[in-house]
Amino acid sequence: MTAVRKAAGWWTSLTTQVDDWQALSLMTLFMLARYSSFGEQMQANYGCLLAVAIIFRPVVREQTFWFLVLLATALPIVNNWWSQGGHAFLLLYWVGAIFLSFSAQEPRGMLAASGRYLIGATFFFAALWKFMSPEFADGTALQYFMATMIPIGLTTQVFTGLTQEQLQHNILAITDLLSQSVTSTVALARPPNIAPTAQVFTLLTQMLEGVLAVVFLAPLAGNKVILRDIALILFFITAYIILPIPSFAVLLACIGYAIASSPATRAFFLLAFFLWQIITLPFGN
């Protein structure tokens, strides 16, 4: 335990010496280069922007540079806005927040405030959508995901009792169904534990997302702002163990770093960002 404390103290001390703006800039550009879903050509363009930021470090403090980044992020989304995932829009809003922060007297403070509202709004609408969707509210959607999808089908096996063979059978059945041009149904393997497990996880998801929305959107004074860091860290640890989504995980780690209210929580989000690269490296995007 002492070794862990020493390591945590060393890492926290090290992160206090990091230039916040440089770190946030490089993290954002890295996300665009690796996790954007705009195609290989656009990712190559983002890679060039990242290289420019690394070689010519002062450029990240220029609003003109971030206008180019914003333009490069917005154009592929505008071109195919109906086919983009939620993480693409959140990434666009984050790049837009960086660009607009140059108009403030304290850009770093405005960026932290923007990050706070982005996270609050994200979880507010996520919780609202889940509450208004009958298929999710009663656990049906999550039960389907647990029975037919990777990685959630694997990460929840200990709770659902679903075997590797059953998961493989379900995936092949759904794949075959989607390849057909006629309307039909297939029988999925569903162990008895999967329904109650899905209901419990659904309830926990709604509660945690609701709490995040409240603490990030509500005005908190004094030492209570640490509740935002704690809530986001709790979500990060629990949700992304069950459903590891790299595109959202790294983006929340980056914004969490921007809004962190203490050196310790800032160190956590920076470490989480790096750890995700190690965890997902062998599996690509």
Side-chain angles (χ1 to χ4, degrees):
M1 211 59 182
T2 303
V4 173
R5 279 201 212 96
K6 286 184 178 179
W10 170 82
W11 177 250
T12 302
S13 176
L14 185 64
T15 55
T16 59
Q17 302 172 37
V18 173
D19 184 313
D20 272 3
W21 194 268
Q22 286 284 343
L24 286 168
S25 299
L26 295 179
M27 290 161 74
T28 301
L29 293 168
F30 181 82
M31 284 189 292
L32 282 168
R34 187 175 181 207
Y35 295 104
S36 61
S37 55
F38 309 139
E40 293 182 0
Q41 181 59 54
M42 287 306 303
Q43 286 187 303
N45 294 337
Y46 299 140
C48 292
L49 290 170
L50 175 60
V52 168
I54 293 173
I55 298 171
F56 306 102
R57 294 175 61 185
V59 76
V60 298
R61 299 187 184 278
E62 299 295 331
Q63 191 173 25
T64 304
F65 175 77
W66 284 105
F67 176 74
L68 294 175
V69 177
L70 178 60
L71 198 63
T73 309
L75 286 178
I77 292 181
V78 172
N79 189 41
N80 293 292
W81 61 268
W82 58 89
S83 64
Q84 302 298 334
H87 75 278
F89 287 96
L90 184 57
L91 186 53
L92 172 63
Y93 300 152
W94 175 244
V95 173
I98 296 176
F99 170 73
L100 292 174
S101 67
F102 284 90
S103 304
Q105 292 184 346
E106 297 181 9
R108 184 63 182 82
M110 180 178 176
L111 187 59
S114 298
R116 170 198 157 196
Y117 287 116
L118 278 176
I119 291 178
T122 296
F123 283 107
F124 172 78
F125 287 110
L128 182 63
W129 174 76
K130 290 180 176 67
F131 179 77
M132 295 176 62
S133 303
E135 297 83 0
F136 190 92
D138 64 7
T140 302
L142 207 52
Q143 184 179 162
Y144 173 79
F145 297 150
M146 289 176 173
T148 62
M149 292 186 177
I150 292 175
I152 190 171
L154 296 174
T155 56
T156 58
Q157 279 182 326
V158 65
F159 305 106
T160 63
L162 190 74
T163 65
Q164 292 278 95
E165 291 75 19
Q166 288 174 324
L167 178 59
Q168 185 176 14
H169 163 78
N170 290 344
I171 292 173
L172 290 174
I174 293 297
T175 302
D176 182 61
L177 178 64
L178 293 176
S179 66
Q180 299 178 22
S181 58
V182 296
T183 302
S184 61
T185 59
V186 294
L188 299 178
R190 295 184 180 180
N193 287 346
I194 198 168
T197 300
Q199 291 176 338
V200 171
F201 275 78
T202 295
L203 180 61
L204 291 175
T205 300
Q206 291 174 315
M207 289 176 57
L208 187 52
E209 288 184 346
V211 168
L212 278 159
V214 170
V215 296
F216 273 89
L217 294 178
L220 300 178
N223 57 3
K224 290 183 180 180
V225 295
I226 193 67
L227 292 175
R228 294 172 184 148
D229 297 2
I230 294 172
L232 189 58
I233 289 172
L234 180 62
F235 177 83
F236 203 95
I237 292 174
T238 56
Y240 291 133
I241 287 177
I242 301 300
L243 186 56
I245 307 175
S247 53
F248 271 113
V250 294
L251 183 50
L252 285 182
C254 180
I255 301 178
Y257 178 83
I259 60 98
S261 59
S262 75
T265 53
R266 188 176 297 112
F268 169 86
F269 288 115
L270 190 58
L271 178 62
F273 186 90
F274 283 119
L275 282 179
W276 263 106
Q277 313 318 314
I278 298 172
I279 293 170
T280 61
L281 187 59
F283 309 106
N285 289 345

